Amino acid sequence: MSIRLFAPSFRIDECLAEIRECLEAGWTGLGFKTVEFETAWKAYAGYEHAHFLSSNTAGLHLAFRILKDRLGWVPGDEVITTPLTFVSTNHAILYEGLTPVFADVDEHLCLDPESVASRITPRTRAVIFVGLGGNTGQYEKIVALCEANGLALVLDAAHMSGTRLSGKLVGTEADVAVYSFQAVKNLPTADSGMICCADAGDDARARRLSWLGIDKDTFARTTAHGSYEWLYDVADVGYKYNGNSVMAAIALVQLRYLDADNAYRRSLVARYEAGLAPVSAVRIVPTAPGCESAQHLLQIRVAGRDELMLALQREGVFPGVHYRDNTEYAPYAYAAGTCPNAHAAAAEVLSLPLHLRLTESDIDRVCELLARYAR
Ligand SMILES: *Cc1c(COP(=O)(O)O)cnc(C)c1O
């Protein structure tokens, strides 16, 4: 039996019961379950506003579009970001003609506040923080830095569904927080995401822009007027970014189990930590103090990462790499060499298999193989 990096789990009967409601109601699109899930997410995560989308990538794009319009940013204005992330984070900045300025990472592989401070210029408008693997890193210092410098804060919370800091779920500090419920994330659906805006006007704009600029969703119009109101206004040239009821149906079930699932992930991590303690060639990326990580990833750092990866694959164990230094990619090559810590980390990081189907003996096997092959 091979051991995969990720393998999502679904409570199939519960998911099917929720999806059945959509099919029986004849309502698989926007509205109905999407509204139900938004309500459940707000209650869980403590947001005043939340809007269900087709993906986190769509949400990050909307975040920059909305902040740019409201705050009067112009092309070439700068957003400080990390090179150690999935490219969605940085593409979203470019979608709006803004300029990604890369700051370096700390030992948690999250943005280092000192490096961020050193990259602030008169054109800096925002910081986007990525809680890599569910870790909060030095998020509180980034929040304070943004406040002190009048910068907007976007949180790419793709890995952070259920992450707590000092006992409280993180996210509400940001101007906009965006979650991913993509197939292998901690709250897996198939593809979907959530945008959570602090500002009520931003939330209204996100709703409009995510549905072609149309003012209200069909469900709200149906229930408000008792009939399908086919005349509507189009205020903006929006996008087709809305989530649908089938994804929301699955998400509703996943949310019921999120905290328990994350606790199971942390128990697997504790077993990894114990198993790897004697393996001096392996350094585990530390979780920040006070952070109860959603533990989307368990990242280690090793020398000779690529050979180790191949050796593990030969034994049927398939880890991953999160991520390549984004400044190695053509659209960001102008910033190559500006973030030495991130660059060094990118050559050493390995994400060990971590998902709900793993047993303790799977973890023990991975630890044994690391003890044998890591050097
Ligand atoms: C998965 C991921 C995204 C994109 O999420 P989608 O829902 O697939 O668009 C963005 N940022 C990070 C850090 C991710 O891991």
Side-chain angles (χ1 to χ4, degrees), residues 55-57 85-86 88-89 130 156 158-159 180 182 185 192 323:
S55 72
N56 160 295
T57 306
T85 185
F86 189 58
S88 293
T89 313
V130 180
D156 179 348
H159 299 179
S180 174
Q182 183 267 346
K185 298 286 161 61
S192 57
Y323 290 92

Side-chain angles (χ1 to χ4, degrees), residues 52-79:
F52 190 60
L53 297 171
S54 54
S55 72
N56 160 295
T57 306
L60 293 176
H61 177 204
L62 291 180
F64 288 112
R65 169 67 187 272
I66 289 165
L67 292 171
K68 179 183 155 198
D69 288 353
R70 175 162 66 82
L71 299 170
W73 302 347
V74 295
D77 279 351
E78 296 167 1
V79 178

